[in-house]
Amino acid sequence: MALCTWAKHKEILREALAIQSILATLIRDDGLQLEPLQTELPWLDWVRRESIKRTKFIVYGFSNLHCIVYNIPPFMLTSEVKLTLPCSAAEFKAPTAALWKEARKKTVPEVPFQEALKRLFSKDGRDVTLSNSSSGNYALIHALIQHVFFLRQVTRCRFDGPGDLSTEDISSMETALRNWQIGWRRNPESSLDPMSPNGPVAFNSTALLRLAYIRLYVDTAGRALETRNPELIANAFKAGPGIKRSSKITRAVLHSAHALSIPIKMGYRLVAKTQSFIWSIQHSLCTLECAYLMSKWLEALSVSSPDPPVTEDEKRIVAIVKNMLDETEFAMSSDVSIDSPDYTRLLSAGVLRVWAMIFKGSQTWAIVDVIGSALNLYADMLESG
């Protein structure tokens, strides 16, 4: 089903989305409630219990990925999931009962998913996220992204307001994301190495964290990815709402610039050839968000006399992007004046070209190649003015 979801042909995607409801029904029939263990189970019984629980969380995450990519309601809601968080990697991977019992000595009692999520929104949440496993943190970051999705749905229906998230909503989500990040950093299972012995889950979670911040500050819905048509996707990018510049948007753009700097420093052509070995679909989706955000932000600066005036922080980011492009074949022409509105528009096109080359490289998922073609077409539109 995963391969069908990210396949190149929309007919296959349509079938995969239809299977979703069957999968959701099977999961609900088996149950989405699980109380913390009161007494110790025999090892094999515990393995079966934990495996079923993890399978359900995997389906929950898969549901959210569909929501992220296609802007459709998830087929599993966060409020339905009343399981306990997955255990540590050491416990789950223990090959014998004796090693399992040894790993269990270093763990804390099971934490209900709903309780762990609620704690993230409290000011002292950082103190209670330390015991979450990497798989638990992965489920929780999905829950936060789903929360942002529904906040935006409600906001769009507020006909008497500005159509954007309230200050209170943003502040509450920022608290939750900070607490999640602190818990991730302090978790001994966490690693930025996709080949970590504990698995790539913690690494993939960092991509979702970046995506969550971008979705919180920018409405990136409606990109026509379900059409699998690069022209329609490029037109959807072009027609997307403009960026309202602010200090928070500037911070998000800085994260996007950092995301671009990594493959450029490593050699973006090398990354294009090897990304299939280290990038998950989560990282590809996050990269698309970064490319879209930076492009729209640079477009917002490409007007005569921007309002509000360009800040020093924004000027520094523009300079950083220009210096990064200078290390690629898409460097800015010296003929374009830095004071010209065309300057940032052409910078935007250059950024898209770099990302497109990476997306068009060796990859596992067909949709990634389609996105690369769409980014190139979008860059063509920007360069033609």
Side-chain angles (χ1 to χ4, degrees):
M1 183 173 174
L3 287 173
C4 295
T5 299
W6 318 123
K8 193 168 188 176
H9 303 290
K10 64 180 181 180
E11 292 78 12
I12 301 176
L13 168 64
R14 198 176 293 127
E15 291 181 17
L17 293 178
I19 296 173
Q20 281 189 155
S21 60
I22 299 174
L23 183 60
T25 299
L26 291 172
I27 292 292
R28 290 190 181 97
D29 285 349
D30 195 67
L32 282 167
Q33 290 189 329
L34 189 67
E35 295 298 322
L37 282 173
Q38 300 300 321
T39 57
E40 195 68 79
L41 288 176
W43 178 49
L44 292 180
D45 291 341
W46 180 90
V47 169
R48 173 172 161 68
R49 178 180 183 273
E50 185 68 22
S51 298
I52 292 173
K53 180 208 304 183
R54 283 172 175 252
T55 300
K56 292 174 181 177
F57 272 117
I58 289 170
V59 174
Y60 170 70
F62 191 54
S63 163
N64 276 302
L65 288 177
H66 278 187
C67 172
I68 291 167
V69 179
Y70 303 119
N71 195 38
I72 57 176
F75 61 86
M76 280 181 67
L77 302 178
T78 298
S79 58
E80 296 180 275
V81 183
K82 297 177 181 177
L83 307 168
T84 55
L85 287 178
C87 69
S88 68
E91 288 175 85
F92 190 64
K93 290 183 176 182
T96 66
L99 290 174
W100 171 70
K101 287 182 179 179
E102 189 65 29
R104 294 280 285 172
K105 293 177 182 178
K106 304 174 185 176
T107 62
V108 297
E110 290 182 313
V111 179
F113 173 65
Q114 295 292 337
E115 182 181 330
L117 180 59
K118 182 179 178 181
R119 288 174 177 178
L120 288 179
F121 287 89
S122 64
K123 291 184 178 179
D124 59 349
R126 68 189 65 187
D127 298 326
V128 293
T129 56
L130 305 183
S131 58
N132 296 343
S133 64
S134 55
S135 294
N137 279 331
Y138 182 76
L140 289 169
I141 193 63
H142 267 299
L144 295 179
I145 291 174
Q146 188 181 122
H147 187 65
V148 173
F149 172 81
F150 282 112
L151 282 177
R152 290 222 169 266
Q153 300 308 306
V154 171
T155 298
R156 292 190 196 112
C157 295
R158 288 178 183 160
F159 303 111
D160 57 345
D164 209 347
L165 298 185
S166 68
T167 304
E168 292 77 14
D169 285 338
I170 291 176
S171 177
S172 175
M173 276 301 305
E174 286 176 334
T175 297
L177 289 170
R178 278 196 302 269
N179 285 337
W180 183 94
Q181 195 169 5
I182 290 169
W184 185 94
R185 286 174 177 167
R186 293 180 179 176
N187 188 327
E189 291 182 8
S190 296
S191 171
L192 291 174
D193 180 5
M195 310 307 289
S196 166
N198 291 319
V201 173
F203 176 61
N204 293 342
S205 297
T206 61
L208 293 177
L209 174 67
R210 186 173 287 158
L211 188 147
Y213 269 114
I214 293 175
R215 288 284 174 102
L216 178 61
Y217 298 136
V218 183
D219 190 348
T220 60
R223 293 167 306 183
L225 294 179
E226 70 282 357
T227 67
R228 295 299 195 268
N229 185 318
E231 289 187 15
L232 293 178
I233 296 170
N235 282 318
F237 288 170
K238 186 174 185 294
I243 294 289
K244 294 180 181 177
R245 291 163 41 235
S246 68
S247 58
K248 289 181 178 179
I249 291 291
T250 302
R251 286 201 294 272
V253 172
L254 186 59
H255 280 292
S256 297
H258 177 65
L260 179 61
S261 71
I262 295 172
I264 288 179
K265 287 177 181 175
M266 292 174 62
Y268 63 98
R269 288 185 176 277
L270 173 64
V271 172
K273 292 179 181 178
T274 59
Q275 60 147 312
S276 59
F277 299 108
I278 59 174
W279 274 17
S280 61
I281 189 65
Q282 292 90 335
H283 278 273
S284 295
L285 295 176
C286 175
T287 299
L288 175 60
E289 301 282 315
C290 291
Y292 182 84
L293 171 62
M294 180 166 286
S295 173
K296 285 293 181 182
W297 179 77
L298 288 167
E299 284 182 59
L301 294 175
S302 66
V303 298
S304 299
S305 304
D307 184 25
V310 182
T311 66
E312 289 302 315
D313 285 342
E314 290 175 324
K315 289 178 181 177
R316 277 193 285 270
I317 294 177
V318 170
I320 289 171
V321 173
K322 193 265 182 187
N323 289 336
M324 285 193 295
L325 287 184
D326 283 345
E327 298 180 41
T328 74
E329 65 198 75
F330 308 111
M332 286 282 291
S333 170
S334 57
D335 296 337
V336 183
S337 170
I338 193 172
D339 298 319
S340 166
D342 288 338
Y343 185 82
T344 48
R345 178 172 56 81
L346 294 175
L347 268 185
S348 176
V351 166
L352 293 173
R353 297 281 189 210
V354 176
W355 280 130
M357 179 168 286
I358 294 172
F359 274 108
K360 295 288 287 179
S362 172
Q363 25 71 18
T364 305
W365 316 106
I367 189 177
V368 177
D369 181 71
V370 174
I371 291 171
S373 298
L375 292 179
N376 267 328
L377 289 173
Y378 185 24
D380 290 342
M381 295 175 185
L382 291 177
E383 287 178 344
S384 65

